[in-house]
Amino acid sequence: MHLPLLKALPEDFRVTEALALDTAPPDASTHTYLLLWKRGLTTHEALGRLAEAFGVDVQDVAAAGLKDEDGITEQFVSVRAVLSPGDVDRANTRGRAGSGDRAWHVTTHGTGATALRTGVLDGNCFRLVARGLDATAAEALAEGPQRHTHYFVNYYDTQRFGVPGGPKQTHLIGGALLAGNEDSALDLLRRSGSAEGARALEHQGPAEEFFKLLDPRVPVFYRCAHASYEWNAQVRSLLQEAAGRDVTLVEREGLPYAFATTREAVLALAARCPELDYVRYRWTDGKCVRSTAARPTVLQTHISVHRVEPDPLHPGRFACALSFFLPSGGYATAAVHQWFVQTLGAPADGVPDAGVAAAVPAGSGRRA
């Protein structure tokens, strides 16, 4: 079998944040906490639209984590204002005015005295649909246990490095910015296919000027992507050293990965190096701050299997729904692809079956 096809439709990838917020009465608050539902938008894009809707600076709207645009996601945001129900209703009118593929709305969760920031998120709940499975895989999933304990390498996955369908090069943009080469960074951004890339195509002035026009958290994200790519390379090398032959090399969307073929191989990595320092960049007090922190090399989750059934998008193939929870920083697609390699022996080509990928009907919303 081959790796399953994920995110064939936005409805195939659903994420809900888990975050214990400390709220306060409105008269003792400076911020409103909202639960943002979005589809087809990056978190940065959504924050910008919320800032416009509420008439505040984009830096007054904050999130605790970044969520994929190629899915349906729910996450918490904070707005530096105590909003009325009318404010929220008017904002939602704007969100509903977008196309069906790029829409959002918010509901009020409460108020409090602090803005959200990265690092406070507890985790995320996922419900995914894996498509294009052959009969052997479908039978194994249907007849196997409903709940599986899964250990996997905690890679930053491909969406960290580019938008769906676009080149995976946010780490290259970040590297250029870190080297002080804004011209190269702008050239790469223009070819990225992202919302910021579209703005870069229209920019006529100096590259340095363009990056100053962006929400400052966006160039910081590019620097983070560069650090993520470097961290992946280190943990990939450590896995190969720890597990030897129980590793398969995988190229996914042009990016190199090494997947363990057995649980024992993953645990060997955890025993050798349970944590590995990574570089963090954050926009704090009006400047980009660099620091380091430990990131676990291996995560554990419990994957539940639901509804193994024929896949209507791919005649003769099967689909199944999977649900699980990951702590903040874990990537669902990385977890699922490694689970298929470990449990069902997906080969090392790193892509879904070519015939399955080609069978996705036009307009289905599939993104790479």
Side-chain angles (χ1 to χ4, degrees):
M1 67 157 290
H2 293 256
L3 290 177
L5 181 62
L6 304 178
K7 303 183 179 180
L9 303 172
E11 293 79 7
D12 286 352
F13 189 82
R14 296 179 180 269
V15 191
T16 301
E17 277 189 349
L19 175 59
L21 277 170
D22 188 12
T23 59
D27 59 1
S29 298
T30 54
H31 293 73
T32 301
Y33 303 129
L34 304 170
L35 183 62
L36 166 67
W37 179 101
K38 66 179 182 65
R39 170 187 174 132
L41 297 167
T42 68
T43 296
H44 288 306
E45 288 180 276
L47 295 183
R49 296 191 183 199
L50 285 170
E52 292 177 1
F54 292 120
V56 299
D57 188 273
V58 68
Q59 294 186 60
D60 289 332
V61 186
L66 301 179
K67 296 289 174 289
D68 293 351
E69 62 268 42
D70 50 343
I72 295 176
T73 68
E74 293 180 293
Q75 68 182 115
F76 291 99
V77 298
S78 63
V79 179
R80 190 188 297 274
V82 178
L83 303 172
S84 69
D87 293 329
V88 173
D89 289 342
R90 286 188 290 273
N92 283 333
T93 299
R94 288 186 175 223
R96 288 190 293 268
S99 69
D101 287 337
R102 293 172 63 79
W104 58 268
H105 68 257
V106 292
T107 55
T108 303
H109 180 77
T111 57
T114 59
L116 294 182
R117 59 179 177 80
T118 56
V120 303
L121 184 63
D122 296 316
N124 297 283
C125 300
F126 296 90
R127 191 174 182 93
L128 313 184
V129 176
R131 297 186 181 274
L133 306 175
D134 61 28
T136 301
E139 182 179 3
L141 291 173
E143 295 183 353
Q146 182 183 8
R147 188 172 172 85
H148 301 252
T149 299
H150 177 45
Y151 299 89
F152 65 99
V153 181
N154 190 25
Y155 288 118
Y156 293 94
D157 215 358
T158 58
Q159 56 267 48
R160 180 74 165 183
F161 306 107
V163 299
K168 299 301 182 263
Q169 57 187 30
T170 56
H171 58 296
L172 301 179
I173 298 170
L177 290 175
L178 288 167
N181 193 340
E182 284 87 359
D183 289 331
S184 292
L186 184 62
D187 183 57
L188 287 165
L189 186 56
R190 284 171 170 155
R191 293 181 273 125
S192 68
S194 66
E196 294 78 22
R199 292 177 60 184
L201 287 169
E202 298 175 355
H203 182 71
Q204 300 296 321
E208 182 179 359
E209 178 184 282
F210 173 79
F211 285 103
K212 290 180 179 178
L213 296 173
L214 294 177
D215 176 345
R217 292 169 295 191
V218 175
V220 168
F221 166 75
Y222 296 140
R223 291 170 170 83
C224 290
H226 180 268
S228 300
Y229 187 85
E230 295 294 315
W231 192 91
N232 273 6
Q234 293 180 63
V235 78
R236 185 174 68 245
S237 178
L238 287 169
L239 175 65
Q240 291 175 275
E241 293 173 5
R245 291 181 297 178
D246 291 335
V247 172
T248 182
L249 300 180
V250 178
E251 183 176 293
R252 301 171 60 238
E253 300 186 68
L255 299 172
Y257 290 88
F259 285 175
T261 56
T262 65
R263 174 188 293 188
E264 289 72 24
V266 180
L267 295 178
L269 170 63
R272 170 175 283 200
C273 182
E275 293 182 326
L276 185 65
D277 281 351
Y278 74 105
V279 176
R280 298 191 303 188
Y281 297 93
R282 288 180 176 171
W283 186 255
T284 304
D285 297 328
K287 60 183 178 180
C288 180
V289 178
R290 182 187 186 276
S291 63
T292 59
R295 174 181 171 89
T297 59
V298 170
L299 293 180
Q300 177 188 358
T301 188
H302 300 282
I303 294 180
S304 296
V305 179
H306 313 274
R307 294 198 331 266
V308 181
E309 58 192 9
D311 182 356
L313 294 185
H314 311 107
R317 297 283 181 152
F318 296 83
C320 74
L322 307 171
S323 64
F324 50 93
F325 172 85
L326 291 179
S328 178
Y331 282 75
T333 47
V336 171
H337 280 143
Q338 291 182 67
W339 181 66
F340 271 87
V341 168
Q342 289 180 35
T343 61
L344 298 176
D349 55 13
V351 296
D353 183 292
V356 170
V360 178
S364 67
R366 179 182 184 272
R367 297 173 171 89

